[in-house]
Amino acid sequence: MDIMYYIGLEVHKKTISFCVKDASGQVHQEGKVGATRRELDSWIKTLPQPRTMAMEATIFTGWIYDHLLPHAQQVKVAHPLMLRAIAAAKKKNDRIDAGKIADCLRCDFLPECHMASTQIRDRRRTLRYRHLLVRQMVQMKNRISGLLMETGVSYNKQRLHKVGYFRELLSTNEDVHESIRPLLKLSRDTVVRLQKTEYALVSSLQRDPLLADRVKRLRTVPGVGPITALAWALEIGDVARFRSIRQAISYCGLCGEEKSSADKVMRTPLSKQRNKHIQRVLVEAAKLAPRQDHDLALVYETEKQKGNANRATLAVARKMVAYLLAVDREERDFVPAENYQRAAA
């Protein structure tokens, strides 16, 4: 029977510290290797087999995980916060950390986190880049408004970023000083360029064969547009990993933490342990959804009567998670409650 070797990796930008242990905990190899594909290929040839590897989730984890996966029976990724709680120690350095990860792996204590497929991660990177473009676009629009306000130019706030109005403003308004005209034109050109790039990114994702059918189904949910549908598909990934609606709501950051001791139970504000990307998109969608669907409007009004509009928005977001989860699991379009009851009757 072959001895399994457990390899813990402490990943950094330029180097990776490693520790190789057998099932009894005996150290077979320790050291550092450069965080490049060429150096990893040379290092892999020196390792005993069969082997299982584990590392902590970091910004560098994705490509290392993909690169090592064909060379090990398993490659696992650990949740940073949970791993820190399990492997806490007074003395801490890269060598010790790699050994701790190897120990957690061989004792089956590793708090493993979900690793999305390479295809999903590649497309998710594109969607998150789109958010960066939108932020830059908003900054440039605010800069245009700021330049006009600094120089005392009156303008129509609602129409300022319309192409025709902006051109007319520069050509007919004598209050627009010559010193800011080049800056205004540069800012406007930047906004237009960012808009075109953002549109191209979203269109390419919507047409992607891997996502097209799924996004089309998700968009049948009230209040769900292309960005919300794409964010759900790419941030959630495999919907089967959520056993309940509660788990999905927690992952989306739409509930608070619970701290209980004896008979006292205290709810805290929204937990920071969440996927902030899907949280942001769902909250924004939940602000508009009650205008488009009677059931969601009823959820909003019921919660708002308790005195807090923000909690009402979160209640709508949680309801939307339930809808999205059902549509995704059953792989069919959303059916409103009254239509479903009518069909059943």
Side-chain angles (χ1 to χ4, degrees):
M1 182 177 178
D2 292 332
I3 299 173
M4 178 62 72
Y5 292 92
Y6 301 90
I7 305 172
L9 304 175
E10 177 68 12
V11 177
H12 292 286
K13 180 180 179 181
K14 295 183 178 180
T15 61
I16 300 172
S17 296
F18 66 91
C19 179
V20 182
K21 294 187 177 185
D22 60 21
S24 66
Q26 182 181 348
V27 177
H28 286 259
Q29 289 185 34
E30 277 185 316
K32 283 188 179 182
V33 61
T36 65
R37 287 179 172 84
R38 182 176 298 177
E39 291 180 82
L40 283 175
D41 287 337
S42 301
W43 169 70
I44 287 167
K45 295 174 184 177
T46 68
L47 297 175
Q49 292 198 41
R51 51 187 173 242
T52 301
M53 299 181 177
M55 71 191 85
E56 187 178 347
T58 69
I59 190 174
F60 317 110
T61 298
W63 76 265
I64 297 172
Y65 175 89
D66 292 338
H67 194 74
L68 295 178
L69 197 57
H71 303 287
Q73 290 197 352
Q74 277 186 308
V75 178
K76 297 185 177 183
V77 179
H79 191 292
L81 289 177
M82 295 181 183
L83 183 65
R84 201 174 302 152
I86 293 172
K90 285 184 178 180
K91 190 175 180 182
K92 188 179 187 303
N93 57 45
D94 292 345
R95 183 181 62 82
I96 292 174
D97 287 350
K100 290 279 187 181
I101 293 172
D103 284 333
C104 289
L105 182 61
R106 71 182 180 85
C107 298
D108 200 22
F109 286 157
L110 192 81
E112 191 174 358
C113 65
H114 174 71
M115 197 68 183
S117 67
T118 307
Q119 294 86 350
I120 290 292
R121 282 187 278 122
D122 289 344
R123 288 157 178 80
R124 185 167 62 194
R125 189 181 301 116
T126 300
L127 185 64
R128 291 181 182 180
Y129 188 81
R130 176 255 169 199
H131 177 61
L132 172 65
L133 297 181
V134 171
R135 283 169 51 195
Q136 292 178 339
M137 199 188 311
V138 171
Q139 288 175 346
M140 294 311 299
K141 288 182 177 181
N142 290 341
R143 184 66 269 178
I144 291 172
S145 301
L147 288 168
L148 294 173
M149 286 189 286
E150 284 175 19
T151 52
V153 179
S154 299
Y155 62 91
N156 186 319
K157 184 178 179 181
Q158 283 71 36
R159 298 179 59 198
L160 177 60
H161 302 297
K162 302 292 184 182
V163 177
Y165 178 80
F166 185 80
R167 190 182 297 120
E168 180 186 344
L169 182 70
L170 292 185
S171 60
T172 62
N173 195 318
E174 297 178 355
D175 293 336
V176 179
H177 198 272
E178 288 299 325
S179 64
I180 66 168
R181 285 179 181 274
L183 297 177
L184 288 171
K185 290 178 181 178
L186 177 62
S187 299
R188 180 62 200 173
D189 291 342
T190 303
V191 169
V192 171
R193 186 169 63 252
L194 289 170
Q195 284 175 335
K196 290 180 179 178
T197 308
E198 186 265 344
Y199 178 79
L201 290 180
V202 174
S203 298
S204 68
L205 288 173
Q206 285 184 282
R207 294 193 301 267
D208 194 302
L210 184 69
L211 302 172
D213 292 340
R214 188 178 181 187
V215 168
K216 187 177 178 181
R217 285 194 300 270
L218 291 170
R219 290 194 63 182
T220 62
V221 175
V224 174
I227 303 303
T228 307
L230 285 169
W232 176 270
L234 293 174
E235 298 294 344
I236 293 296
D238 182 9
V239 74
R241 66 194 178 101
F242 296 103
R243 297 190 299 273
S244 65
I245 295 174
R246 280 188 174 187
Q247 277 191 336
I249 288 172
S250 177
Y251 179 79
C252 295
L254 300 175
C255 62
E257 295 177 348
E258 180 180 315
K259 294 182 179 179
S260 59
S261 178
D263 297 329
K264 295 182 179 179
V265 178
M266 183 176 68
R267 283 283 181 182
T268 64
L270 290 182
S271 172
K272 296 296 183 182
Q273 294 186 42
R274 84 292 190 209
N275 184 317
K276 64 180 181 181
H277 305 283
I278 188 68
Q279 181 194 51
R280 181 190 65 250
V281 172
L282 285 172
V283 169
E284 290 300 319
K287 292 177 181 178
L288 300 176
R291 305 177 192 176
Q292 304 173 19
D293 182 75
H294 172 73
D295 291 335
L296 293 178
L298 192 60
V299 170
Y300 181 84
E301 289 302 327
T302 303
E303 285 295 320
K304 192 179 178 181
Q305 286 175 6
K306 298 177 183 178
N308 193 311
N310 289 336
R311 287 186 181 178
T313 299
L314 289 175
V316 173
R318 288 192 286 269
K319 193 69 173 177
M320 291 179 71
V321 168
Y323 288 165
L324 288 163
L325 199 64
V327 167
D328 225 4
R329 278 177 175 169
E330 298 176 17
E331 296 186 352
R332 63 176 184 175
D333 291 354
F334 176 79
V335 179
E338 59 269 19
N339 292 359
Y340 184 80
Q341 291 168 359
R342 195 178 301 122

